[in-house]
């Protein structure tokens, strides 16, 4: 998941209010009761992604923020914490010690927002549908180990896995496992357009202009049966073209909450109390940024080239000069807020060292300067991305060992080109599907990895990842995860750069902002209300 784009504060409840500005007018949103959120995310229908709000396709933070509040899943993450709890299910659990057979019993009387009954057949339909559609940009990888599904009764589901997977309950908390109405959705094709039919705490109506989502209006779902108790009967999510326009809307009270999109400079302004009547909440984030290398591309096929870049990149300069310390240097695909993290890249390469990089290239017989194009997306991860890549270009070119050019693409072109392996080295962001080290390793290193990376390591793919998934007590998998991190640092198919902090800006009359995100950084709209 471009999603999937940055000591646990994997727990959203640990968000800390860093500013409580007084004075100014209370933000009234649209009618004084409706909670209005602002974001600069882009959700648009394109030729390769014609159904951006279909759970079989949607695999990015922005779309999941909408789906997570509209659809139910068998399991969900709690208000704060990492252990999945029942959602549409009344109870769930493995029926065997090998973690290969997962059984659930649904709550009684479940209905979709249109009034249709929700049964075990809808659950089976929804999971089978993701596997059947198998969209190359979609969410199949999260359910790829589902072998078959049985429905002994209208409320019972038995999911048989092809391999043991102790993380499967966590995967069932994601929108990939959203339960769909089998009378509305087709089982073999995406639902194009913008309509959604779920059983979550909210139903949603969308407004679209030029194939781009401009607003989502969430209304409390009268048919919802579950433990969540929305604090607001109505909420809106508005999408802005610029961060400055969004900031003005927050200052005026036209919107109540900003959960995505502010620049480091704006975060600093909020932190200093320069936006009157607004509080800022901060926590350690789980989103990471990294470079992906196409290990089949001639210019970076030699491991020595990738290792030389690892010797040269100055993460401290990136987070200091570009991100104004709203991020932290990252030396592994697994961030510091997740168990099993080790600083594998720093252990392997230390601080930036041009002499070490030169030696690596010389020993491999590689002529310098190495010509390489770094690519990035211009409109998906924020306005600082271009500055970040200018800084990377400067760092590599200043060594005299590389001749770097950079090139940006809009996301609608960038994502398909990544999948087709058209770039040699590219910048990508990632938010976890669920708060577990598996969500920072398997999506990158298995055969069906989400970026279609050609990198293969048989020990990781065939031994280490399967071994980690057999450990229901996740701390017992720590040694294997550390081996994975060390191998990635040695081979450098990916180069981790930084992990971002999480910020929520809210008008002073908003309650629940400290719980706006769960432990996988998914938006919990039901937690937001007005005092």
């Amino acid at each position: 998941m471009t999603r999937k784009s940055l000591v646990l504060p994997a727990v959203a409840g640990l968000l800390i209010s860093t500013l409580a500005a007084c004075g100014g007018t209370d933000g009234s949103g649209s009618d004084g009761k409706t909670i209005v959120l602002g974001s600069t995310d882009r959700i648009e229908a394109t030729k390769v992604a014609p159904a951006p709000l279909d759970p079989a396709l949607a695999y990015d933070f922005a779309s999941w923020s909408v789906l997570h509040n509209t659809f139910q899943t068998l399991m969900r993450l709690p208000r704060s914490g990492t252990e999945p709890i029942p959602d549409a299910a009344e109870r769930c659990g493995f029926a065997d010690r090998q973690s290969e057979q997962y059984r659930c019993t649904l709550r009684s009387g479940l209905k979709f927002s249109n009034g249709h009954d929700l049964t075990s057949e809808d659950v089976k339909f929804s999971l089978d549908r993701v596997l059947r559609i198998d969209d190359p940009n979609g969410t199949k990888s999260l359910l790829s180990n589902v072998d078959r599904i049985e429905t002994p009764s209208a409320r019972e589901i038995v999911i048989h896995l092809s391999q043991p997977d102790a993380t499967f309950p966590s995967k069932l908390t994601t929108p990939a496992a959203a339960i769909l109405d089998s009378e509305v959705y087709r089982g073999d094709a995406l639902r194009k357009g913008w309509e959604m039919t779920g059983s979550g705490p909210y139903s949603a109506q969308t407004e679209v202009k030029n194939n781009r989502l401009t607003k989502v209006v969430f209304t409390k779902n009268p048919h919802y049966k579950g433990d969540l108790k929305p604090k607001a009967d109505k909420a809106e999510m508005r999408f802005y073209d610029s961060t400055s326009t969004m900031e003005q809307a927050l200052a005026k009270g036209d919107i109540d909450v900003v959960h995505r999109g502010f620049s480091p400079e704006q975060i600093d302004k909020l932190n200093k109390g320069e936006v009157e009547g607004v509080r800022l909440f901060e926590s350690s984030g789980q989103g990471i940024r990294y470079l992906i290398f196409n290990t089949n591309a001639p210019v970076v096929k030699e491991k020595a080239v990738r290792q030389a870049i690892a010797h040269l990149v100055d993460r401290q300069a990136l987070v200091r000069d570009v991100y104004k310390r709203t991020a932290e240097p990252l030396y592994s695909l697994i961030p510091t807020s997740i168990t099993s993290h080790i600083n594998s890249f720093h252990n392997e390469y230390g601080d930036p060292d041009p002499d070490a990089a030169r030696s690596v290239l010389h020993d491999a017989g590689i002529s310098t300067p190495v010509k390489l194009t770094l690519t990035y997306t211009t409109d998906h991860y924020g306005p600082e991305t271009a500055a970040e890549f200018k800084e990377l270009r400067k760092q590599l070119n200043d060594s005299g060992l590389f001749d770097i050019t950079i090139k940006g693409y809009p996301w609608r072109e960038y994502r398909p080109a990544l999948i087709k392996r058209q770039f040699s080295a590219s910048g990508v962001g990632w938010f976890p599907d669920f708060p577990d080290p598996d969500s920072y390793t398997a999506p990158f290193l298995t055969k069906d990895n989400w970026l279609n990376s050609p990198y293969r390591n048989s020990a990781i793919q065939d031994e280490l990842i399967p071994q980690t998934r057999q450990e229901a007590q996740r701390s017992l998998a720590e040694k294997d995860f550390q081996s994975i991190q060390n191998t990635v640092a040695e081979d450098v198919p990916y180069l981790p750069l930084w992990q971002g902090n999480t910020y929520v800006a809210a008008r002073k009359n908003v309650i629940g902002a400290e719980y706006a995100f769960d432990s996988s950084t998914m938006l919990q709209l039901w937690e937001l209300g007005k005092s």
Side-chain angles (χ1 to χ4, degrees):
M1 212 184 49
T2 45
R3 266 219 19 87
K4 306 270 28 18
S5 171
L6 263 278
V7 129
L8 269 168
V11 179
L14 295 182
L15 284 164
I16 302 170
S17 175
T18 60
L19 170 66
C22 298
T25 58
D26 289 342
S28 60
S30 60
D31 61 9
K33 296 180 181 179
T34 300
I35 283 287
V36 183
L37 290 84
S39 171
T40 55
D41 284 325
R42 295 176 66 95
I43 304 177
E44 56 187 333
T46 65
K47 184 176 180 180
V48 297
L53 296 179
D54 189 311
L57 172 64
Y59 201 9
D60 62 273
F61 182 94
S63 298
W64 276 24
S65 294
V66 176
L67 301 184
H68 188 60
N69 294 281
T70 310
F71 291 91
Q72 273 187 301
T73 47
L74 287 172
M75 303 290 285
R76 68 176 177 87
L77 291 171
R79 186 188 209 191
S80 58
T82 61
E83 190 67 29
I85 60 176
D87 185 11
E90 183 178 89
R91 59 182 177 273
C92 284
F94 282 107
D96 62 336
R97 293 183 178 181
Q98 288 74 40
S99 300
E100 288 184 313
Q101 187 184 111
Y102 198 70
R103 289 177 172 265
C104 292
T105 301
L106 293 176
R107 297 176 187 268
S108 61
L110 288 174
K111 291 182 181 294
F112 291 102
S113 58
N114 59 10
H116 292 175
D117 290 338
L118 188 162
T119 72
S120 59
E121 288 297 330
D122 292 298
V123 178
K124 173 177 167 57
F125 166 85
S126 303
L127 301 181
D128 284 343
R129 179 177 180 270
V130 173
L131 300 174
R132 186 179 302 113
I133 291 177
D134 190 16
D135 192 282
N137 295 295
T139 55
K140 179 187 176 181
S141 61
L142 282 166
L143 303 175
S144 60
N145 61 351
V146 172
D147 183 35
R148 57 190 172 88
I149 303 173
E150 298 173 335
T151 54
S153 72
R155 292 179 56 200
E156 293 180 281
I157 306 103
V158 183
I159 304 171
H160 298 270
L161 305 180
S162 57
Q163 294 178 322
D165 187 0
T167 71
F168 190 68
S170 295
K171 293 174 180 176
L172 290 178
T173 69
T174 71
I179 303 172
L180 312 181
D181 185 348
S182 57
E183 296 182 52
V184 173
Y185 287 81
R186 287 180 55 182
D188 59 354
L190 295 170
R191 187 182 187 181
K192 297 180 181 180
W194 302 92
E195 291 186 81
M196 295 168 283
T197 306
S199 60
Y202 292 98
S203 59
Q205 296 293 322
T206 58
E207 293 184 14
V208 179
K209 184 177 181 180
N210 297 327
N211 291 323
R212 182 181 172 189
L213 192 62
T214 58
K215 182 192 291 187
V216 185
V217 179
F218 297 90
T219 305
K220 192 174 179 179
N221 177 11
H223 299 291
Y224 170 71
K225 290 186 181 295
D227 293 333
L228 301 175
K229 294 177 170 43
K231 289 184 172 65
D233 290 343
K234 192 174 181 181
E236 289 184 10
M237 191 179 295
R238 300 177 184 173
F239 299 93
Y240 291 83
D241 289 328
S242 72
T243 58
S244 59
T245 303
M246 185 169 65
E247 181 187 337
Q248 292 169 10
L250 179 65
K252 289 168 57 181
D254 291 340
I255 56 177
D256 305 301
V257 178
V258 171
H259 68 291
R260 286 274 286 171
F262 272 156
S263 68
E265 290 78 13
Q266 288 172 310
I267 294 294
D268 185 58
K269 183 188 296 186
L270 287 163
N271 202 28
K272 291 177 179 177
E274 296 177 12
V275 181
E276 198 171 30
V278 174
R279 295 180 297 165
L280 184 69
F281 297 83
E282 176 185 3
S283 74
S284 296
Q286 305 219 23
I288 67 172
R289 183 70 58 83
Y290 56 92
L291 292 178
I292 172 176
F293 295 104
N294 176 2
T295 53
N296 282 352
V299 67
V300 293
K301 188 173 185 178
E302 290 290 336
K303 181 167 63 175
V305 174
R306 308 192 300 269
Q307 290 176 328
I309 294 173
H311 273 298
L312 293 172
V313 168
D314 187 344
R315 296 168 177 82
Q316 295 284 353
L318 281 177
V319 301
R320 181 190 66 237
D321 300 336
V322 178
Y323 289 97
K324 312 301 180 187
R325 294 188 170 86
T326 59
E328 301 293 336
L330 181 63
Y331 297 94
S332 170
L333 284 177
I334 300 176
T336 57
S337 53
I338 296 292
T339 58
S340 302
H341 163 85
I342 55 173
N343 287 321
S344 53
F345 272 82
H346 195 274
N347 295 340
E348 182 74 21
Y349 302 100
D351 294 328
D353 188 342
D355 290 336
R358 184 176 294 105
S359 178
V360 167
L361 293 171
H362 179 269
D363 291 348
I366 296 172
S367 300
T368 58
V370 177
K371 291 188 176 182
L372 173 64
T373 299
L374 301 182
T375 54
Y376 63 95
T377 177
T378 57
D379 57 2
H380 195 70
Y381 298 125
E384 306 78 30
T385 307
E388 176 183 358
F389 275 75
K390 289 178 182 177
E391 173 64 22
L392 288 171
R393 177 181 61 188
K394 179 180 183 301
Q395 292 178 9
L396 296 176
N397 285 350
D398 282 353
S399 71
L401 302 174
F402 285 88
D403 180 5
I404 300 294
T405 57
I406 58 175
K407 189 170 184 180
Y409 297 84
W411 181 252
R412 65 179 180 274
E413 299 174 13
Y414 189 71
R415 166 72 169 150
L418 281 173
I419 297 299
K420 295 177 183 178
R421 302 177 183 173
Q422 293 179 354
F423 306 138
S424 297
S426 308
V428 188
W430 176 257
F431 279 100
D433 299 315
F434 49 91
D436 187 278
D438 182 271
S439 193
Y440 291 95
T441 50
F444 301 91
L445 300 168
T446 55
K447 183 178 180 180
D448 59 349
N449 67 85
W450 82 284
L451 284 172
N452 194 30
S453 167
Y455 173 74
R456 298 288 181 269
N457 182 287
S458 59
I460 292 177
Q461 185 173 306
D462 302 330
E463 299 174 24
L464 294 174
I465 289 178
Q467 285 170 192
T468 65
R469 288 177 170 176
Q470 293 181 39
E471 300 293 353
Q473 187 175 337
R474 302 306 287 153
S475 61
L476 297 178
E478 186 169 315
K479 183 177 179 180
D480 288 334
F481 279 121
Q482 291 177 352
S483 295
I484 292 171
Q485 291 170 85
N486 287 333
T487 300
V488 170
E490 166 66 22
D491 291 348
V492 204
Y494 302 94
L495 181 66
L497 298 173
W498 52 265
Q499 66 181 87
N501 297 329
T502 298
Y503 296 92
V504 177
R507 302 288 304 179
K508 67 177 183 178
N509 63 330
V510 172
I511 59 174
E514 65 270 33
Y515 297 109
F517 293 119
D518 68 14
S519 54
S520 65
T521 326
M522 288 305 308
L523 179 66
Q524 302 181 125
L525 194 54
W526 54 84
E527 293 286 357
L528 300 174
K530 291 185 177 180
S531 61

